[in-house]
């Protein structure tokens, strides 16, 4: 990996007002530490840092940090951003030795199109999006590709099946699944609401009919001259009505 030159200025431990003024001028506070040297507080051009972050190496880009008349190889260790604007707020650089292996995280990119998705109607699930590796700083890959061009349904790619550059070691279980193709399960749901409405509609006529029958039995009036039912009392005469006179028998 080619080194990217980044110029920085050493700065004292400023107050909040001084740091705010620095950011308004397009510069970002930072710090460099590690490799048995004392930490150094820095002032860096924000656009230069953004250019590095958007390069092929990204956060794993190998940087030659120039401070005054000296330079040292570093990697970006940590980035802080403003919680609302997401602007660069602070950058930590870690000094490294080009002759010693280091551990870092590398993104995993999916390449190709799985037949199990395109033809079989499956779903691709990307489980691991970055992996930790160990290698020399000059051999850090920008990314590791997972080729899914031959994946059918219920097939996947494990960590041990990834194609790595030479001298790069993966620091994770070799059996870990990185990406796989799943079968889509269609679950038929019973329309509970519709069934309840249909059931209520089916039973409603019976309820209404029964209610009408009961209402008829209780409120029906006997025909004139009809004898009252057994055990039933004769209806009382209406108010003001004259009692019917009995005809004399035998005359």
């Amino acid at each position: 990996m080619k080194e990217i030159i980044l110029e920085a200025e050493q700065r004292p431990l400023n107050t909040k007002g001084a740091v705010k003024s620095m950011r308004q001028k397009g510069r970002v506070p930072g710090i460099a530490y590690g490799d048995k040297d004392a930490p150094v507080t820095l002032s860096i051009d924000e656009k230069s840092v953004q250019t590095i972050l958007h390069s092929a190496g990204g956060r794993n880009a190998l940087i030659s940090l120039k401070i005054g008349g000296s330079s040292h190889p570093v990697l970006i260790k940590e980035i802080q951003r403003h919680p609302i604007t997401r602007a660069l707020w602070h950058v930590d650089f870690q000094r490294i030795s080009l002759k010693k292996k280091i551990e870092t995280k590398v993104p995993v990119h999916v390449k190709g199109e799985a037949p199990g998705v395109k033809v079989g109607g499956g779903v691709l699930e990307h489980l691991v999006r970055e992996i930790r590796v160990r290698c020399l700083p000059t051999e850090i890959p920008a990314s590791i590709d997972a080729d899914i061009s031959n994946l059918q349904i219920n097939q996947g790619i494990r960590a041990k099946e990834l194609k790595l550059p030479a001298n790069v070691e993966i620091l994770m279980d070799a059996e870990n699944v990185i990406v796989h193709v799943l079968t889509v399960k269609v679950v038929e749901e019973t329309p509970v609401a519709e069934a309840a409405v249909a059931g209520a509609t089916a039973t409603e006529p019976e309820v209404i009919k029964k209610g009408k029958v009961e209402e008829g039995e209780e409120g029906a009036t006997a025909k004139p001259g009809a004898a009252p039912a057994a055990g039933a009392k004769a209806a009382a005469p209406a108010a003001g009505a004259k009692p019917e006179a009995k005809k004399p028998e035998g005359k």
Side-chain angles (χ1 to χ4, degrees):
M1 182 183 292
K2 185 179 178 181
E3 281 186 302
I4 301 175
I5 298 176
L6 177 64
E7 295 185 357
E9 297 176 1
Q10 188 171 353
R11 65 176 177 85
L13 291 174
N14 301 112
T15 61
K16 290 184 178 179
V19 172
K20 183 178 180 181
S21 177
M22 180 197 310
R23 293 191 177 110
Q24 290 174 346
K25 294 177 181 178
R27 301 190 69 80
V28 180
I31 187 171
Y33 51 80
D35 201 25
K36 300 179 181 180
D37 290 337
V40 178
T41 53
L42 306 170
S43 169
I44 318 109
D45 179 60
E46 181 181 3
K47 290 183 179 180
S48 298
V49 179
Q50 293 283 17
T51 301
I52 294 174
L53 293 175
H54 289 87
S55 67
R59 292 189 60 162
N60 287 325
L62 182 58
I63 302 170
S64 177
L65 187 65
K66 295 185 65 175
I67 307 172
S70 63
S71 61
H72 203 290
V74 298
L75 291 176
I76 295 176
K77 182 67 174 179
E78 185 178 355
I79 293 176
Q80 297 177 20
R81 293 184 179 273
H82 189 278
I84 299 177
T85 65
R86 305 304 298 164
L88 287 176
W89 219 237
H90 193 275
V91 184
D92 288 13
F93 298 96
Q94 182 180 12
R95 301 188 192 99
I96 56 173
S97 171
L98 298 180
K99 297 180 180 180
K100 294 181 180 179
K101 290 186 176 183
I102 62 172
E103 296 180 7
T104 186
K105 291 182 179 180
V106 176
V108 178
H109 292 166
V110 172
K111 297 294 182 181
E113 190 171 9
V117 175
K118 185 177 181 180
V119 181
V123 175
L124 182 71
E125 188 174 17
H126 193 173
L127 300 174
V128 180
R129 296 187 177 273
E130 62 179 12
I131 57 177
R132 181 171 288 277
V133 300
R134 181 190 292 120
C135 60
L136 291 174
T138 54
E139 297 175 338
I140 300 174
S143 63
I144 295 176
D145 295 338
D147 188 0
I148 62 171
S149 301
N150 297 320
L151 287 188
Q152 301 293 339
I153 290 180
N154 297 328
Q155 292 183 345
I157 297 176
R158 299 182 184 276
K160 64 182 180 182
E161 297 170 330
L162 292 173
K163 295 181 179 180
L164 303 176
N167 304 318
V168 176
E169 176 188 359
I170 292 184
L171 302 178
M172 70 181 307
D173 190 343
E175 296 299 325
N176 279 8
V177 177
I178 306 300
V179 59
H180 61 176
V181 178
L182 300 177
T183 304
V184 178
K185 295 183 179 181
V186 179
V187 180
E188 296 184 1
E189 297 183 358
T190 305
V192 180
E194 294 181 5
V197 172
T201 305
T203 56
E204 185 178 358
E206 182 180 353
V207 174
I208 295 175
K209 183 177 180 182
K210 183 177 180 182
K212 288 183 177 179
V213 171
E214 292 177 354
E215 182 182 353
E217 290 177 353
E218 293 179 0
T221 56
K223 295 182 180 179
K233 296 181 179 180
K242 295 182 180 181
E244 184 179 355
K246 293 184 179 180
K247 292 183 181 181
E249 296 180 0
K251 289 185 181 183

